[in-house]
Amino acid sequence: MKVACIQMDILHCRKQENLEKALYMALKAVDKGAELIVFPEVFSTGFCYEHFDHAAETLPSPILENLACFSEANDCIIMGSVIEKAVTEDISGNGKPVDSKNSTPSGGNSTLYYNLGFCFESGALAGSYRKTHPFKGESRYFSRGNSIEPITLKRQNLKIGFQICYELRFPEVARKLALAGSDLLVTSAAFPNPRSEHWKTLARARAIENQIPHIACNRTGSAPDCTYFGDSMIIDAWGEVKASAGDHECVIVSELDLSGKDEIRKAIPVFEDRRTELY
């Protein structure tokens, strides 16, 4: 499968401009033969906390509908994350929010915000994932997702393990996804300076220890409070970097062998040799 990472400078809180740029860059990836395209974390707005409600998408969302149309028109898979606004019924009937730190009451309902990962396959929503590990200050705004499961593609007969940014530091997340049958790991990120060496080391480690390919897609450019180094990578199941980016906006594309993991696991039987009675 030919895969691509869209490494872009996300314009702070400028939703329409970011969408147009992302789709323009995605079209370049399609022209290079990409079947699976990954965007960075919260690609449409960045962490637009000062206009959080405006930045958030209530499903069905115009931004996601645009991505679905692009995916259908180009018969491709698109992944990334956006800010989601979700209204949840208060089943207790007392009108109180479920999580007062990052929700607001609305009559008998609660409004929750999530960092929502999405995956479209040829126009259809194949699956979604709510980030389970917000990083530090993100927890003031985002609720935590409560499920870590692969996204199953119907047409491609493929399982994708999806994680978001900070979760790269949790080997348990990628291992749970691998044990659940993921053929491929995708990380959509906004990993900031000065931690580029951490990013590169962890991204390769997640591929090596789980013996599956890894698309690690980071943003570049700057936000009001930090800058981003890029360094997006497409990594095979041996941990070899097949394509990489510097710190500039670009599209990287590479062919990945998604059938090789079984041979690798025969050669180095990490999964068979696990001592599950001890850990």
Side-chain angles (χ1 to χ4, degrees):
M1 172 181 277
K2 190 167 278 192
V3 304
C5 169
I6 307 300
Q7 180 168 290
M8 58 184 283
D9 181 0
I10 298 167
L11 304 173
H12 192 64
C13 298
R14 288 152 66 178
K15 188 181 293 188
Q16 189 59 35
E17 291 174 74
N18 286 319
L19 174 64
E20 291 172 3
K21 180 196 289 191
L23 293 181
Y24 173 74
M25 296 177 77
L27 194 56
K28 288 185 175 181
V30 168
D31 289 343
K32 295 179 180 180
E35 302 165 76
L36 190 161
I37 300 166
V38 182
F39 294 146
E41 182 180 21
V42 291
F43 83 97
S44 60
T45 57
F47 291 101
C48 183
Y49 295 137
E50 62 269 41
H51 302 292
F52 203 55
D53 197 62
H54 170 72
E57 304 293 324
T58 302
L59 305 182
S61 149
I63 289 284
L64 296 182
E65 287 176 359
N66 271 274
L67 296 178
C69 289
F70 183 95
S71 170
E72 182 177 28
N74 294 284
D75 193 23
C76 65
I77 303 156
I78 295 183
M79 304 183 71
S81 91
V82 295
I83 300 170
E84 177 199 11
K85 178 181 180 180
V87 178
T88 305
E89 287 188 17
D90 176 20
I91 59 175
S92 70
N94 60 16
K96 294 180 181 179
V98 176
D99 183 345
S100 60
K101 184 165 62 173
N102 42 26
S103 62
T104 55
S106 175
N109 299 330
S110 297
T111 301
L112 303 175
Y113 296 90
Y114 295 96
N115 191 330
L116 178 72
F118 58 82
C119 177
F120 290 100
E121 181 187 21
S122 301
L125 182 64
S128 61
Y129 166 69
R130 287 169 168 167
K131 187 176 182 180
T132 53
H133 299 78
F135 178 60
K136 294 179 71 173
E138 293 174 27
S139 297
R140 294 168 51 200
Y141 301 92
F142 292 106
S143 293
R144 294 177 295 177
N146 57 14
S147 177
I148 300 171
E149 298 293 339
I151 293 171
T152 300
L153 303 184
K154 294 180 179 178
R155 294 186 62 183
Q156 294 281 349
N157 191 28
L158 188 70
K159 285 188 176 182
I160 299 179
F162 193 17
Q163 59 183 17
I164 300 176
C165 199
Y166 181 47
E167 294 171 334
L168 187 64
R169 293 184 178 273
F170 294 83
E172 301 91 341
V173 174
R175 178 50 57 91
K176 186 176 191 296
L177 291 166
L179 289 171
S182 296
D183 302 291
L184 170 70
L185 181 65
V186 168
T187 302
S188 178
F191 227 84
N193 280 309
R195 296 185 282 274
S196 64
E197 289 304 314
H198 288 192
W199 163 261
K200 288 184 282 190
T201 301
L202 291 167
R204 291 189 65 202
R206 297 295 84 87
I208 293 167
E209 68 199 7
N210 292 296
Q211 299 171 316
I212 55 175
H214 184 192
I215 306 171
C217 188
N218 195 29
R219 68 160 292 184
T220 189
S222 61
D225 60 344
C226 62
T227 60
Y228 298 90
F229 51 80
D231 285 336
S232 297
M233 291 180 287
I234 298 170
I235 306 163
D236 71 12
W238 281 108
E240 296 295 324
V241 178
K242 308 298 288 184
S244 61
D247 61 359
H248 57 289
E249 284 191 313
C250 63
V251 177
I252 58 172
V253 179
S254 180
E255 189 80 37
L256 281 178
D257 179 5
L258 301 184
S259 64
K261 74 177 191 300
D262 292 335
E263 289 302 314
I264 293 171
R265 289 177 182 179
K266 286 180 183 177
I268 305 175
V270 170
F271 284 82
E272 290 181 17
D273 292 341
R274 293 171 67 239
R275 295 286 304 277
T276 54
E277 78 277 15
L278 298 179
Y279 52 77

